Amino acid sequence: MGGHEAIDELLAEAGVDGLRLRGALALLAGGRWWTLADLVRETATSRRTIESLLRVLPLEHSGDRVRIPIDQVNRYNVGVDADISGLGNPVAGMVAEHAETLGRLEALIAEAPRGRHALDHVSATAETVLRRALLLGRRFWLPGARLLCVGDHDLTSLAVRMVHPEVEVAVADIDDRILEYIDAQDLGVRTRWADLRLGLPPSLRGWADLAITDPPYTPEGIGLFAARAAEGLRDREQGRILVAYGASERTPMLALKVQKALFDLNLLHEAIFPHFNRYLGAEAIGSAADLYVLRPTTKTWPAIAPGSTASPRPSTRRGPRPSSPPRRRRRTRRP
């Protein structure tokens, strides 16, 4: 089968989800050189899917970068907008107004402690972290509000304090290095060590108006971190939980299992912003994740109570074994 016929077959097999592949085609035909990782991140498409496209395309190479040869571009001009970021990005137009903050976040993320595989860490981009802060201000009334970050390897807490200094922010995390790094920035973020399988620190239970988390992408991980976020809310009717979660377009059943874990906690899905979060890695899921906005209901609290059938079990990949006594971290100053 010729190259063009193979591409036509690939696009036909993709069906209505073929916009991703056509977007990648448009990028490759635009004259710019692309690495595989950049194509994955730009199109929010899994590495396997992009690799299947590259295998059937006539490409020229420059090191690890590729593009469609200039003399063949017209054959692959699919006439689509390759930029799909606006589909799940209600604050796209606001990022340019915060260029200085974005630069500061890029430096902070570059200098932060490296992620630990055992803790399932993959860093979000600086623009993603900034957009999370901007979305909070666009969606909620923040003066006097409190935000709890349930885990914060991405440094969302610092972005929120930079953009919204009127918001009180606290972080609960098992990684001492991250907590110490956040403390060192002296932005007034309250930090607390926590093994989330054992619960939130008492000082953070019922403390927050909003909670945000980017947990391990398993049903158990999502369920545990979302439950701890709910425990941190002080208003059981007005609080909100923002959860980042991504899955490959090839594995919808995995996403369904995660959504069932959230359903078991009786959390209302108010919104899902597709591909809102972008990552420096995680190519298996397109280096991207959706952002869920969840609202607790009166049935959430019985579901997260100890001993309930929906109460999350301590079975995620984060942190030491529950049988090992949790390591105590040094006391940090409180803002």
Side-chain angles (χ1 to χ4, degrees):
M1 181 182 294
H4 208 64
E5 293 176 339
I7 294 167
D8 289 342
E9 181 175 312
L10 190 66
L11 294 174
E13 289 176 354
V16 295
D17 207 29
L19 186 63
R20 298 170 183 264
L21 288 173
R22 288 175 168 84
L25 266 177
L27 293 175
L28 290 164
R32 172 181 163 183
W33 295 97
W34 291 89
T35 66
L36 174 59
D38 287 341
L39 278 172
V40 167
R41 187 177 303 111
E42 189 72 16
T43 60
T45 304
S46 71
R47 181 186 180 101
R48 285 184 60 194
T49 297
I50 295 297
E51 287 175 335
S52 68
L53 175 65
L54 297 182
R55 280 196 294 268
V56 297
L57 279 174
L59 297 171
E60 56 180 344
H61 298 258
S62 175
D64 63 345
R65 301 175 302 162
V66 296
R67 68 180 182 184
I68 293 173
I70 300 299
D71 61 353
Q72 298 190 48
V73 163
N74 289 338
R75 293 185 63 190
Y76 300 97
N77 186 350
V78 292
V80 302
D81 184 358
D83 183 10
I84 64 172
S85 60
L87 296 176
N89 186 1
V91 295
M94 301 172 64
V95 171
E97 303 170 13
H98 298 268
E100 183 177 346
T101 300
L102 179 60
R104 189 176 174 189
L105 286 168
E106 288 173 343
L108 286 169
I109 290 172
E111 296 170 6
R114 298 300 88 194
R116 287 176 172 167
H117 180 72
L119 298 181
D120 222 23
H121 283 161
V122 178
S123 294
T125 65
E127 183 173 330
T128 291
V129 176
L130 174 59
R131 287 194 277 107
R132 289 174 182 172
L134 295 173
L135 180 66
L136 288 172
R138 184 74 178 269
R139 177 66 180 82
F140 304 105
W141 177 251
L142 295 182
R146 293 174 175 177
L147 172 70
L148 171 62
C149 297
V150 183
D152 195 28
H153 179 261
D154 295 328
L155 307 180
T156 300
S157 60
L158 299 181
V160 173
R161 287 291 293 172
M162 290 179 195
V163 178
H164 305 293
E166 72 276 18
V167 177
E168 291 185 63
V169 181
V171 172
D173 202 295
I174 199 171
D175 192 339
D176 286 300
R177 305 169 309 146
I178 291 297
L179 296 173
E180 291 168 3
Y181 187 74
I182 292 171
D183 284 339
Q185 308 315 313
D186 202 22
L187 285 172
V189 176
R190 181 181 304 186
T191 58
R192 296 290 181 272
W193 186 93
D195 183 335
L196 298 175
R197 294 165 298 183
L198 306 178
L200 283 178
S203 63
L204 295 181
R205 294 173 190 162
W207 178 83
D209 303 289
L210 301 164
I212 187 167
T213 186
D214 194 342
Y217 290 174
T218 63
E220 296 83 5
I222 295 287
L224 175 62
F225 279 61
R228 295 297 179 251
E231 289 177 10
L233 298 179
R234 59 178 173 176
D235 191 323
R236 296 190 172 188
E237 295 182 1
Q238 298 300 324
R240 298 294 193 281
I241 301 167
L242 282 70
V243 176
Y245 170 69
S248 168
E249 71 281 357
R250 294 171 173 261
T251 57
M253 281 302 298
L254 291 180
L256 181 62
K257 290 178 181 178
V258 164
Q259 291 185 358
K260 184 179 185 303
L262 295 172
F263 176 80
D264 288 343
L265 295 175
N266 297 305
L267 292 167
L268 169 68
H269 289 57
E270 280 195 336
I272 300 177
F273 298 106
H275 318 313
F276 184 93
N277 306 279
R278 301 302 176 95
Y279 299 92
L280 303 173
E283 293 175 9
I285 59 170
S287 299
D290 301 341
L291 186 68
Y292 289 59
V293 180
L294 308 171
R295 183 172 184 172
T297 66
T298 55
K299 292 187 176 182
T300 297
W301 313 107
I304 65 176
S308 71
T309 57
S311 182
R313 302 296 191 268
S315 57
T316 73
R317 291 171 286 173
R318 294 200 180 209
R321 296 287 183 185
S323 56
S324 302
R327 182 161 55 99
R328 304 297 297 176
R329 67 180 300 268
R330 64 177 178 81
R331 292 178 63 86
T332 58
R333 60 186 179 278
R334 294 179 63 172

